[in-house]
Amino acid sequence: MPSAPMDVEAAVVEAKGDPFRIRTVPLEEPRPDEVLVRVAATGVCQTDAHSRNQDYPIPMPVILGHEGAGIVEQVGSAVKDLAPGDRVAMTFPSCGRCDACRAGFPANCTHGFELAFGASRQDGTNAYGDGVHGHFFGQSSFARYALATERNTVRLPDDMPLELAGPLGCGMQTGAGAVMNSSRSAPVSPWSSWAPERSAWPP
C-alpha cells in the first residue's frame, strides 16, 4: 500500500512573471525508477527565468530548478546503482529508450524537450499535489526535496562540495560541451580536467 505523501517546502511560481513563493506541497513517494533527493544546493539558470516568464510555455503553478545537488533519501525498487546516503547531482532527463539514448547520446533524447519542460512525468502524471506541477527538467530542485530518476542522478565523490556540484548538471556541461563540439576536441585535453557526456548527434 502506498504511503501518504510527504510535505515539502518549495519555491513555487504561481503565474507568468510572479515572484517565487515558499509553499508546502505534498510529494508522493518514489516510483520504482525514481530517486528522492534531499536538496542541499541548487544553481539558478537563465532557463529558470525564461520558464517563469513563460518564454517556454510550461504549466503553472510550477516548481522550477534544474541544477540540484544533495543526498539520496529514498530509492524506488528498480533503482540499482544508488542508495540512501549517496551524494548526488541531478542533471537533464532522458527516456533511455529512443535511438539517441540507446546510442549513448541522452542529450539528444527524442523526448528530451517534453521531459524537461512538460512539468510532469513522461506518462503525464505528477508526483506533486495541490495542483502544483513538478518534474521540471526531471527534478524541480527549487525545493527541500526533489524527485528524479536514476537516469538523471549522478553519484558524486565524497569530497565534492555539494554547493559546487549543482551547476555540473546544466551550466558546466553545457559550456564544456559547446567548446568541445565546436573545437572538435577530445574528451580529455590539456585545457579540460573533466569530460562531460557526449552531446553530438548523430555520431
Side-chain angles (χ1 to χ4, degrees):
M1 177 181 295
S3 61
M6 65 183 296
D7 288 334
V8 300
E9 277 190 324
V12 178
V13 178
E14 303 283 351
K16 179 179 179 179
D18 275 3
F20 294 95
R21 292 186 172 90
I22 304 301
R23 286 182 50 182
T24 299
V25 182
L27 174 61
E28 297 174 1
E29 66 179 351
R31 287 185 175 180
D33 65 333
E34 292 178 333
V35 179
L36 181 68
V37 178
R38 176 164 44 88
V39 178
T42 185
V44 179
C45 175
Q46 185 64 35
T47 302
D48 297 305
H50 284 309
S51 299
R52 183 187 68 168
N53 294 330
Q54 291 284 280
D55 298 329
Y56 303 113
I58 62 172
M60 290 190 167
V62 66
I63 305 168
L64 300 173
H66 63 287
E67 291 185 350
I71 308 294
V72 173
E73 190 87 0
Q74 186 180 350
V75 298
S77 59
V79 173
K80 298 178 181 178
D81 296 325
L82 294 169
D86 284 345
R87 298 157 56 83
V88 296
M90 293 172 282
T91 185
F92 60 87
S94 58
C95 74
R97 297 181 296 274
C98 69
D99 289 346
C101 284
R102 289 198 302 267
F105 295 91
N108 299 96
C109 173
T110 301
H111 305 286
F113 188 87
E114 66 190 71
L115 289 171
F117 294 100
S120 69
R121 297 181 175 107
Q122 191 172 358
D123 65 4
T125 61
N126 207 298
Y128 299 82
D130 294 346
V132 175
H133 299 273
H135 309 283
F136 182 69
F137 271 76
Q139 57 181 281
S140 285
S141 55
F142 287 175
R144 297 287 185 187
Y145 289 85
L147 195 62
T149 69
E150 188 171 23
R151 285 193 57 75
N152 70 316
T153 308
V154 181
R155 186 186 297 110
L156 297 170
D158 289 340
D159 60 352
M160 177 70 178
L162 291 175
E163 66 272 17
L164 301 181
L168 291 173
C170 177
M172 290 294 292
Q173 66 179 318
T174 302
V179 171
M180 291 172 62
N181 286 325
S182 296
S183 65
R184 301 296 180 188
S185 300
V188 178
S189 64
W191 55 265
S192 176
S193 60
W194 65 285
E197 196 156 14
R198 295 179 298 169
S199 60
W201 176 260

